[in-house]
Amino acid sequence: MCNATENDTNSLYEKLQKVIDEKKQLTNPLIEILHQAQEIFGYLPVEVQEYVARELGIPVSQVYGVVTFYNFFSMKPRGKHIINVCTGTACFVKGAPRILQMISDELGIQIGDTTEDRQFSLSAVRCVGACSLAPVFVIGEDTYGRIDNRDKLKEIINKYRA
């Protein structure tokens, strides 16, 4: 008899199969299918990449190449809330390294990591297009700028904890 985890995994693959069946007739459907696969699984482990490759009849290396090329795809589990810290020139000069360190200290993770409770992932990005607010970080759709103390940062992060 299957345990609950196996049933959950089978259900996820059934959802992915429906997406593949709907999209595989499109011209170059790989990115769209991978995007949906990441929505379903939360990330793109090798097993999911192999499944997509097999179902599309393409080499796994092609799938892997797309997954590793685009930074919005992840091969590691991500947190519910992604914190992107801008490290572009304006943000870097105005304190992005300090913001990164404060967030890292608050969450106990480094760039590229996810908290154990899978609530937060931390990443650095080149530019978010909000130079006038430098230094800037983004959590989901929310942009925060000019944060210069740990208390304010902790207050912001606590809004997302739950």
Side-chain angles (χ1 to χ4, degrees), residues 31 43 53 77 80 82 85 92 99 104 108 121 143:
I31 291 176
Y43 67 113
K80 179 179 177 183
I82 312 286
V85 178
F92 190 88
I99 296 292
S104 178
S121 292
T143 302

Side-chain angles (χ1 to χ4, degrees), residues 83-101 111 122-129 131 134-138:
I83 302 176
N84 289 308
V85 178
C86 180
T87 58
T89 303
C91 287
F92 190 88
V93 169
K94 294 204 172 195
R98 184 168 184 269
I99 296 292
L100 272 167
Q101 188 60 55
I111 294 172
L122 178 60
S123 68
V125 295
R126 291 281 180 212
C127 185
V128 298
C131 300
V136 174
F137 64 95
V138 178

Side-chain angles (χ1 to χ4, degrees), residues 11-13 15-16 19 35-43:
S11 173
L12 297 177
Y13 277 101
K15 288 179 183 177
L16 177 56
V19 169
H35 177 71
Q36 292 296 312
Q38 184 162 282
E39 288 290 318
I40 293 167
F41 288 87
Y43 67 113

Side-chain angles (χ1 to χ4, degrees), residues 19-36:
V19 169
I20 293 170
D21 291 343
E22 290 173 8
K23 309 282 184 194
K24 70 180 174 184
Q25 302 308 321
L26 299 173
T27 304
N28 300 318
L30 182 57
I31 291 176
E32 194 167 337
I33 290 170
L34 289 173
H35 177 71
Q36 292 296 312

Side-chain angles (χ1 to χ4, degrees), residues 52-67:
V52 169
R54 185 173 56 252
E55 293 300 311
L56 293 178
I58 60 176
V60 175
S61 60
Q62 184 178 345
V63 175
Y64 179 80
V66 170
V67 169

